[in-house]
Amino acid sequence: MKLIQKYNSVSLILRIACGLAVGILLGLLFKGLSVVPLLGSIFVGALKAVAPVLVFVLVVSALAQGSNKLDSRFTLVIALYMVSTLLASLFAVVMSFVFPQTLILTETATADTVPTGVGEVLRNLFLNMVSNPVRSIAEGNYIGILFWAVIFGLASKKLAGEGTKKMMADLAEIVSAVVRWIINLAPFGIMGLVYENVATNGLAIFADYGKLLLLLVGCMLAVALIIDPLIAALVLRRNPYPLVFRCLKGSGVTAFFTRSSAANIPVNMELCENLGLDREMYAVSIPLGATINMDGAAVTIAVMALAAANTVGISVSLPTAMILAIIATLAACGASGVAGGSLLLIPMACSLFGVDADVAMQVVAVGFIIGVVQDSVETALNSSGDVMFAATAEYAKWIKDGKPLPKFLGGTMEIKV
């Protein structure tokens, strides 16, 4: 018990850094270990298993116990999520024209279902919404999970008694605690994941795909540090960076290593509480953001699709690229409803330029190779943005109502550090 207490007393970020360093060192020195990568597989498997249940019970519980209507804050936060994702994809398109990329194509990736057209993406989106709720939870279909959670939550609000609502709230707390326990063991899982990547690929991915990675990560950092703060500044009429950095530190760092926006929900919920936000609001907007606030996915789809077009020598006009940005925005919002996430939406975007499906799937394979870096940054951007825009919508309401803002935004309200 003393050892466990000592472990828990150390900052999670410091523990994760240690796990990262040990994983790199073991990967460079010892190639044939089997137990170490197993830790990574167990960690990822545990997160994938519990995250869908978490989203479902949180949304159901929040709606069941909520007030009669969600006010303008909820409308604003949805608008912020969508505008941010669209601007992220537009920025990625522009930067892809400024710094055009070509790819070293490798083996073809495979998948059971790969969307090849906009119509098919929208069709999959709607079908995933009404997929069997139990199956949605089992398969991690977050669009379906969110849809049915809203339906069950609204029905529970109208029909369930106080005892049932209390039970739902307790269940949400229990599942959140389980996820926090899993994240507390992240250093061991990250050690296994990093070991497996370093032992298998070495540091070659940084040489072979360095320019592509630099463009992807650069676009995502620009969205996190320039575009999203600008949106928040326009809404709040205040310097947004104290809020931005709090969200990156409190949410982005853990999301970077867990690589799951859904699994990072308990971290975001705790951060929202520390920021003084209304639980009735963020208990719905944070799970929603984990599903539709996909700036990083939009960047990935746009950059990879244009890189594929450049690789096969297809000239893309700027108007066509702007259409790509809109398609990437819509596709990114439904990425969690497609097996494989945002990478498997790349062939759909490539089809806009007439890129062959076989070539497009090779681009997907490249995406999986660089995913060790790209997916981590993408998740950090998405997850920290969930909190930042939820807080922006909340604080905008405070300003309108004359309520004092937190001290870090120039107000007088005391909040937790």
Side-chain angles (χ1 to χ4, degrees):
M1 291 301 297
K2 289 183 178 180
L3 185 62
I4 293 175
Q5 291 174 358
K6 183 69 174 177
Y7 173 83
N8 290 331
S9 67
V10 179
S11 165
L12 178 62
I13 296 175
L14 180 59
R15 283 181 275 151
I16 287 175
C18 292
L20 182 67
V22 172
I24 293 174
L25 187 62
L26 290 177
L28 293 174
L29 298 179
F30 306 99
K31 302 292 185 183
L33 301 179
S34 59
V35 176
V36 178
L38 179 61
L39 294 175
S41 299
I42 292 173
F43 176 66
V44 172
L47 286 178
K48 286 183 176 180
V50 74
V53 180
L54 174 69
V55 172
F56 185 81
V57 298
L58 280 177
V59 175
V60 172
S61 174
L63 290 176
Q65 300 174 76
S67 61
N68 288 329
K69 75 172 189 176
L70 292 169
D71 56 28
S72 59
R73 295 171 298 175
F74 194 68
T75 303
L76 178 57
V77 77
I78 293 176
L80 292 173
Y81 286 159
M82 299 304 298
V83 169
S84 172
T85 303
L86 176 59
L87 291 179
S89 60
L90 286 170
F91 181 77
V93 165
V94 172
M95 295 307 293
S96 291
F97 272 81
V98 176
F99 303 103
Q101 300 294 311
T102 55
L103 303 174
I104 303 172
L105 298 183
T106 59
E107 63 186 49
T108 303
T110 59
D112 294 333
T113 303
V114 181
T116 56
V118 179
E120 188 175 351
V121 169
L122 294 176
R123 177 178 179 274
N124 287 341
L125 180 63
F126 288 117
L127 289 178
N128 282 326
M129 283 176 61
V130 296
S131 177
N132 182 290
V134 177
R135 181 179 177 183
S136 295
I137 293 174
E139 296 180 353
N141 168 20
Y142 288 101
I143 295 295
I145 292 168
L146 188 63
F147 175 79
W148 287 113
V150 170
I151 299 298
F152 277 88
L154 294 175
S156 299
K157 176 178 175 54
K158 184 175 182 180
L159 302 174
E162 291 303 317
T164 302
K165 292 178 181 179
K166 177 66 166 58
M167 181 190 70
M168 291 177 180
D170 290 342
L171 181 60
E173 289 296 330
I174 290 169
V175 179
S176 296
V178 171
V179 176
R180 284 193 291 268
W181 292 346
I182 295 172
I183 291 178
N184 200 38
L185 297 174
F188 299 100
I190 288 161
M191 178 181 68
L193 292 171
V194 170
Y195 169 83
E196 187 172 16
N197 281 304
V198 172
T200 302
N201 301 314
L203 302 178
I205 60 169
F206 298 102
D208 294 340
Y209 304 107
K211 291 183 179 179
L212 177 62
L213 267 174
L214 187 61
L215 178 60
L216 285 166
V217 172
C219 286
M220 293 179 193
L221 289 177
V223 172
L225 299 175
I226 300 174
I227 295 176
D228 286 355
L230 179 60
I231 296 172
L234 291 174
V235 173
L236 296 176
R237 308 291 177 137
R238 280 166 174 74
N239 176 14
Y241 283 100
L243 174 62
V244 171
F245 292 135
R246 273 173 168 77
C247 293
L248 287 172
K249 178 183 177 182
S251 173
V253 172
T254 54
F256 179 90
F257 291 106
T258 61
R259 295 169 66 179
S260 172
S261 293
N264 210 49
I265 286 175
V267 175
N268 284 354
M269 300 274 277
E270 183 178 356
L271 179 56
C272 286
E273 181 181 354
N274 292 342
L275 291 172
L277 307 187
D278 179 5
R279 181 177 178 83
E280 186 175 305
M281 171 63 184
Y282 69 72
V284 178
S285 62
I286 292 300
L288 179 66
T291 305
I292 69 169
N293 182 39
M294 294 290 172
D295 296 9
V299 168
T300 298
I301 294 168
V303 168
M304 297 296 280
L306 287 171
N310 294 335
T311 300
V312 298
I314 296 175
S315 178
V316 179
S317 66
L318 188 59
T320 305
M322 293 299 103
I323 295 174
L324 169 66
I326 297 172
I327 291 174
T329 300
L330 297 174
C333 293
S336 61
V338 179
S342 61
L343 290 178
L344 290 183
L345 290 170
I346 292 172
M348 176 274 300
C350 289
S351 69
L352 180 66
F353 312 130
V355 176
D356 183 80
D358 291 336
V359 173
M361 283 309 298
Q362 292 184 57
V363 177
V364 174
V366 173
F368 280 118
I369 293 172
I370 64 174
V372 60
V373 176
Q374 168 267 329
D375 191 43
S376 294
V377 179
E378 179 180 312
T379 308
L381 168 60
N382 294 340
S383 190
S384 61
D386 295 346
V387 180
M388 192 193 75
F389 288 127
T392 298
E394 176 87 13
Y395 294 152
K397 183 71 163 51
W398 291 9
I399 293 172
K400 182 178 178 181
D401 294 343
K403 182 178 178 180
L405 290 173
K407 281 188 174 181
F408 69 84
L409 285 178
T412 58
M413 178 183 174
E414 295 282 354
I415 65 168
K416 298 179 182 178
V417 178

